[in-house]
Amino acid sequence: MLVLLPPSEGKAPSGRGAPLKPESLSLPGLAAAREAVLTELVELCAGDEDKAREVLGLSEGLRGEVAKNAELRTAGARPAGEIYTGVLYDALGLASLDASAKRRAARSLLVFSGLWGAVRVTDRIPSYRCSMGVRLPGLGALGAHWRTPMASVLPEAAGDGLVLDLRSAAYAAAWKPKGEVAGRTAAVRVLHAPTRKVVSHFNKATKGRIVRSLLTAGAAPKGPAELVEALRDLGYVVEAAAPAKAGQAWSLDVLVTEVH
């Protein structure tokens, strides 16, 4: 099972570990695309601060994020699972998983990123600020920048098992499973049952709980239909729609009654 996650806007500090080693990151087929984004982002943020804030969509109160980006090559690095914070990652609670669940997380979780493309939770990265919606002056829109390398690398990473897609729309734009891979992909929404509306906070929190539940239970569904059964066994209310034609992903709605 490969689980596709969005990153978090807020991130933990880089800390005092050894700096980034780009060659050590997973998915080496993304290396050239990563280097291109990293180089332009560092140069942008080391130059005109106001321009950098405008490009990155940062408020005056987030001016410090520009200085942080300027030092990405020398800042300390930590496992991505420690860098990403926020509602989804709080609910996922990687640090409190038992040893077996942590090993499953290391194998199966893939976090999408405007800067790195995608990383595993064990990859060591510095704290940064660069969403997938950014349009860099040189490279252009990052979603478009990542599509070609992702199309080459992600099908191999997906292997022959289930792909559980929990990404937000901006990150889903960087790679859309196609063909045979799409047929074993399940894209999940979380809906407030009484209103059938997506609400951001409990959407993220529930997605984090879903991943934690699967990791803790040691669930290993082979495909979307088996995932539906596994989630129902774990107490989730799930409505599933199989694709209307080949080459499309399954749609899964997880229904919750409480907003928390």
Side-chain angles (χ1 to χ4, degrees):
M1 178 173 64
L2 183 68
V3 182
L4 311 182
L5 297 174
S8 57
E9 285 296 326
K11 297 174 183 69
S14 293
R16 298 186 179 184
L20 170 72
K21 294 181 179 179
E23 69 278 5
S24 72
L25 297 179
S26 301
L27 309 180
L30 300 179
R34 285 171 177 149
E35 181 59 31
V37 180
L38 180 62
T39 295
E40 183 169 356
L41 183 62
V42 169
E43 290 178 356
L44 172 69
C45 292
D48 185 330
E49 186 177 273
D50 289 331
K51 180 180 179 181
R53 281 202 303 114
E54 179 182 358
V55 169
L56 296 174
L58 301 177
S59 66
E60 174 67 29
L62 293 173
R63 184 176 289 270
E65 300 293 282
V66 175
K68 182 167 70 174
N69 281 349
E71 298 175 352
L72 283 171
R73 293 192 184 275
T74 56
R78 298 168 60 185
E82 297 177 12
I83 289 290
Y84 294 116
T85 59
V87 174
L88 188 154
Y89 291 90
D90 286 347
L92 172 52
L94 284 170
S96 62
L97 292 173
D98 63 33
S100 295
K102 284 181 178 177
R103 287 193 293 271
R104 287 189 283 272
R107 292 193 302 267
S108 62
L109 304 188
L110 201 61
V111 184
F112 275 60
S113 162
L115 173 53
W116 313 115
V119 293
R120 297 196 183 276
V121 292
T122 51
D123 285 334
R124 297 180 63 84
I125 59 173
S127 185
Y128 68 96
R129 190 71 173 238
C130 184
S131 72
M132 191 65 80
V134 163
R135 179 181 293 272
L136 292 175
L139 292 176
L142 291 180
H145 170 75
W146 285 112
R147 281 183 201 131
T148 297
M150 289 281 192
S152 300
V153 172
L154 265 294
E156 181 178 354
D160 58 3
L162 169 71
V163 178
L164 173 54
D165 192 352
L166 301 177
R167 297 172 296 168
S168 54
Y171 291 90
W175 180 59
K176 181 179 179 180
K178 296 181 179 180
E180 184 269 336
V181 178
R184 48 188 167 83
T185 296
V188 173
R189 298 187 306 172
V190 179
L191 303 182
H192 185 215
T195 63
R196 295 300 173 113
K197 292 182 179 180
V198 174
V199 179
S200 178
H201 179 89
F202 77 81
N203 171 56
K204 295 175 182 178
T206 302
K207 286 179 176 178
R209 293 186 192 109
I210 286 171
V211 177
R212 184 180 179 89
S213 296
L214 292 169
L215 293 172
T216 301
K222 301 298 184 182
E226 292 84 356
L227 173 64
V228 172
E229 293 179 9
L231 291 176
R232 288 173 176 165
D233 287 345
L234 290 167
Y236 293 94
V237 178
V238 183
E239 295 180 350
K245 59 183 180 180
Q248 295 180 335
W250 284 57
S251 297
L252 270 60
D253 288 340
V254 176
L255 306 181
V256 296
T257 57
E258 296 181 5
V259 180
H260 63 89

